[in-house]
Amino acid sequence: AERGHPVLGCGRSAAAVAELATRFGPPHDFTALDVSEDPAVDAWAKRRLAARGAPDLVINNAALMNAPAPLWKVPPEEFEQLMAVNVQGTLNVVRAFVPAMIAAERGVIVNISSGWGRSTDAMVGPYCASKHAIEGLTGSLAQELPAPLAAVAVSPGVVDTEMLRQCWDEAAGAYPKPEAWGERAAAFLLALGPGDNGKSTRI
């Protein structure tokens, strides 16, 4: 937004979305919805596409972390919800926006991955599985997109977020805050283009 780009976003927290909408008025637009709910994503995308046309950059960032536990102790409903948001949610957004981007013959789809999408660790098996899925999904999508579109899997690196504190508690404080990370990330993401199609990279 500070670089002059209209930003359209969504999130599950109605309060956080309302705060963003107050801070960033038109032409920016923020909507409360859950990306795991395909009808809601589809309706939101249709409204946005009708108002502004195909986006230049789509960032799939929604994700949940499981409560650290051995895989056999992870409740089925927790695993299902995590996969619904992290994987199905990404697919829902891709399905909603990519046809318009293909028609416009432009655009980059960034699917946020993780170092745990390229490795594994104990106690976070569901999250690792979801991010390995993002890597595979993005690689396949990159092969399916016509030029000059691009799909890129991007690991954000280690950032001091509430999600990280679920795993590392206070040790997460040794890493960059989201605000500082965002300054670097914005420039990195805006620089992605057709030459990055199919890459698995890191900010």
Side-chain angles (χ1 to χ4, degrees):
E2 291 173 356
R3 287 165 169 78
H5 298 279
V7 178
L8 313 178
C10 66
R12 294 196 305 168
S13 170
V17 167
E19 182 180 342
L20 280 173
T22 299
R23 182 178 173 191
F24 299 100
H28 314 294
D29 187 275
F30 300 95
T31 301
L33 64 85
D34 185 336
V35 292
S36 70
E37 298 175 356
D38 185 57
V41 172
D42 184 63
W44 170 65
K46 284 177 178 174
R47 291 195 302 272
R48 297 304 98 217
L49 290 169
R52 302 210 54 96
D56 298 306
L57 176 64
V58 171
I59 304 170
N60 280 303
N61 185 52
L64 300 177
M65 169 64 75
N66 62 284
L71 190 57
W72 62 92
K73 292 186 177 181
V74 175
E77 60 275 11
E78 183 178 9
F79 184 85
E80 289 167 7
Q81 184 183 30
L82 183 150
M83 296 299 283
V85 171
N86 298 15
V87 182
Q88 186 65 52
T90 296
L91 178 56
N92 290 344
V93 172
V94 166
R95 187 187 297 112
F97 285 101
V98 164
M101 297 169 76
I102 291 174
E105 299 183 334
R106 70 172 193 276
V108 175
I109 301 99
V110 171
N111 295 326
I112 298 297
S113 180
S114 169
W116 280 334
R118 302 157 193 174
S119 64
T120 56
D121 208 344
M123 313 297 279
V124 288
Y127 184 79
C128 291
S130 73
K131 292 304 181 178
H132 275 266
I134 290 299
E135 292 281 337
L137 182 152
T138 306
S140 292
L141 176 61
Q143 296 174 63
E144 296 160 357
L145 291 173
L149 278 72
V152 188
V154 175
S155 170
V158 185
V159 187
D160 181 11
T161 62
E162 290 181 18
M163 181 183 290
L164 186 66
R165 286 176 180 262
Q166 282 184 252
C167 304
W168 291 357
D169 296 323
E170 295 304 313
Y175 295 94
K177 303 293 183 187
E179 295 79 10
W181 173 85
E183 299 246 347
R184 187 172 76 253
F188 179 93
L189 295 170
L190 288 168
L192 294 172
D196 299 296
N197 188 40
K199 288 186 179 178
S200 177
T201 186
R202 173 177 171 165
I203 295 176

